[in-house]
Amino acid sequence: MTTSSPRQSKTETDANHFVLTFENNRYASELFGQFDQNLKLLEQRLNIDARARGNSVSISGDVLATNQARRALDYLYDRLQKGGSIELSDVEGAIRMAIAADDQLSLPTMERKAKLSMSQISTRKKTIVARTPTQDTYIRALERSELVFGVGPAGTGKTYLAVAYAAQLLERGAVDRIILSRPAVEAGERLGFLPGDMKEKVDPYLRPLYDALYDMMPGDKVERAITAGVIEIAPLAFMRGRTLANAAVILDEAQNTTSMQMKMFLTRLGENGRMIVTGDPSQVDLPRGVKSGLVEALQILKGVEGVSVVRFKDADVVRHPMVARIVRAYEAQTAVQDESEQIDR
């Protein structure tokens, strides 16, 4: 595998146009994508012109945007050199990070970043790379803090990254077990009586945690770990009275906890333990008049040492682009309703 510079030549014809040439033809083909789909995404997102010819690409457009395209392509090519692969979602993530690298520079004397640097989580089965600046901040917070709150809209990767990080800790021997939990609150529906044993009754509520877990670890290892109690998936009510030492503990959908439940959960943290709490304060399914334990905890624990709070926005949605537009539409409607209620008062 070559370790040479990802960009072998840069030929500038004017301030807004240059040519990048990549040494490895196969990697260059993967970089540009089938029918140059990755370059087309760069064109759409950055409003540039990118034309491939062999293992070279000619880029023209606004100076800022073309430099963002260069950094994104450099990062993606370097990823290929290290044995990784590229999907459209990875290209989207590289573009977001390249834009963010410029947005974060507020002083004119600060130099532009030459290369992108994204946090990542690695397990034996998969490596997850941050796709937005907030995801990057979230992963760094997970590495730094014993208690991390990841809050924001659906589709931003809060739960997925939390499970990935817990799996990484388990594989490295940093913790002895993983505990995944959710409050068993129905999302606006009455499911009625559920047949089966306790595991079968709560599985529907915990399915997103299972899905993320199987993405991070081989299925047979997950099954053995669950059987051995190394991985425990349980409703929040089962946490009472326990001390969770040497464990990575994740509480998902935390907006549906009551104040008492949240306090109970947070005080389970034991020696060498890590806790990750995820939720969306805008999607509370508790009965009317019951205060969300997540909302209260964010207020009470503000500024407490060892606690990190990472807030995701609609711009961090990494699902289908339509999801981000839906989230923005609902947030706008909520803002209008809140304003109307204040006027009525």
Side-chain angles (χ1 to χ4, degrees), residues 234-292:
L236 179 60
F238 284 28
M239 298 296 106
R240 188 173 298 278
R242 304 177 62 183
T243 299
L244 307 175
N246 298 307
V249 190
I250 298 173
L251 175 60
D252 189 35
E253 296 291 335
Q255 74 274 7
N256 290 326
T257 61
T258 64
S259 298
M260 187 178 297
Q261 286 175 329
M262 178 60 77
K263 181 180 178 181
M264 177 275 292
F265 175 79
L266 294 177
T267 54
R268 299 308 94 197
L269 182 63
E271 186 177 354
N272 192 40
R274 292 293 189 94
M275 277 190 170
I276 309 169
V277 179
T278 66
D280 180 1
S282 72
Q283 294 193 33
V284 177
D285 297 311
L286 293 169
R288 185 179 296 275
V290 177
K291 188 172 185 179
S292 167

Side-chain angles (χ1 to χ4, degrees), residues 59 68 74 84 98 103 105 120 122 159 174 182 197 209 213 234-235 238 247 272 274 278 285 294 319 331 343:
I59 299 177
Q68 290 167 351
D74 278 354
D103 290 344
L105 299 175
Q120 62 183 41
S122 296
T159 301
R182 262 187 162 194
D197 59 22
L209 298 175
L213 199 55
F238 284 28
N272 192 40
R274 292 293 189 94
T278 66
D285 297 311
L294 173 61
R319 290 182 186 167
E331 287 181 345
I343 293 173

Side-chain angles (χ1 to χ4, degrees), residues 61-246:
D62 176 79
V63 173
L64 183 63
T66 54
N67 278 312
Q68 290 167 351
R70 171 183 56 78
R71 286 200 300 274
L73 289 171
D74 278 354
Y75 166 78
L76 293 168
Y77 186 80
D78 184 59
R79 180 170 174 171
L80 289 169
Q81 285 186 309
K82 292 177 179 176
S85 59
I86 292 177
E87 299 177 3
L88 273 175
S89 57
D90 299 312
V91 181
E92 181 75 58
I95 294 170
R96 292 189 190 204
M97 296 298 285
I99 294 172
D102 283 321
D103 290 344
Q104 292 167 1
L105 299 175
S106 57
L107 299 177
T109 55
M110 295 179 70
E111 295 182 0
R112 299 290 178 192
K113 292 182 179 179
K115 296 185 71 174
L116 295 182
S117 177
M118 305 185 198
S119 299
Q120 62 183 41
I121 299 171
S122 296
T123 65
R124 292 176 184 174
K125 185 176 179 181
K126 197 168 187 178
T127 295
I128 309 298
V129 181
R131 293 181 180 175
T132 71
T134 309
Q135 283 193 354
D136 184 75
T137 300
Y138 187 47
I139 294 174
R140 295 180 193 277
L142 294 174
E143 294 170 345
R144 181 181 67 249
S145 302
E146 294 172 306
L147 172 58
V148 177
F149 288 86
V151 296
T156 51
K158 306 181 302 293
T159 301
Y160 192 77
L161 291 174
V163 174
Y165 186 71
Q168 176 182 271
L169 290 178
L170 183 65
E171 286 190 350
R172 293 180 178 179
V175 297
D176 296 333
R177 55 188 173 145
I178 296 174
I179 299 174
L180 309 175
S181 185
R182 262 187 162 194
V185 175
E186 297 165 347
E189 306 134 54
R190 296 295 180 186
L191 300 181
F193 173 76
L194 293 175
D197 59 22
M198 181 57 67
K199 181 178 183 300
E200 292 170 329
K201 289 177 186 293
V202 301
D203 270 2
Y205 297 102
L206 303 172
R207 178 49 53 186
L209 298 175
Y210 278 107
D211 292 343
L213 199 55
Y214 280 102
D215 247 13
M216 297 302 119
M217 302 171 65
D220 58 335
K221 290 189 176 182
V222 173
E223 295 295 339
R224 287 199 299 269
I226 292 176
T227 301
V230 174
I231 296 176
E232 181 181 347
I233 304 177
L236 179 60
F238 284 28
M239 298 296 106
R240 188 173 298 278
R242 304 177 62 183
T243 299
L244 307 175
N246 298 307

Side-chain angles (χ1 to χ4, degrees), residues 272-342:
N272 192 40
R274 292 293 189 94
M275 277 190 170
I276 309 169
V277 179
T278 66
D280 180 1
S282 72
Q283 294 193 33
V284 177
D285 297 311
L286 293 169
R288 185 179 296 275
V290 177
K291 188 172 185 179
S292 167
L294 173 61
V295 174
E296 183 182 67
L298 292 173
Q299 296 169 345
I300 294 174
L301 299 179
K302 187 176 182 179
V304 173
E305 183 179 354
V307 178
S308 291
V309 178
V310 180
R311 299 182 184 274
F312 292 81
K313 304 293 184 183
D314 60 90
D316 297 303
V317 172
V318 291
R319 290 182 186 167
H320 192 285
M322 179 62 74
V323 176
R325 295 195 288 271
I326 291 171
V327 170
R328 283 195 292 270
Y330 270 93
E331 287 181 345
Q333 178 63 24
T334 300
V336 170
Q337 290 176 345
D338 290 344
E339 184 178 345
S340 177
E341 289 175 0
Q342 290 177 358

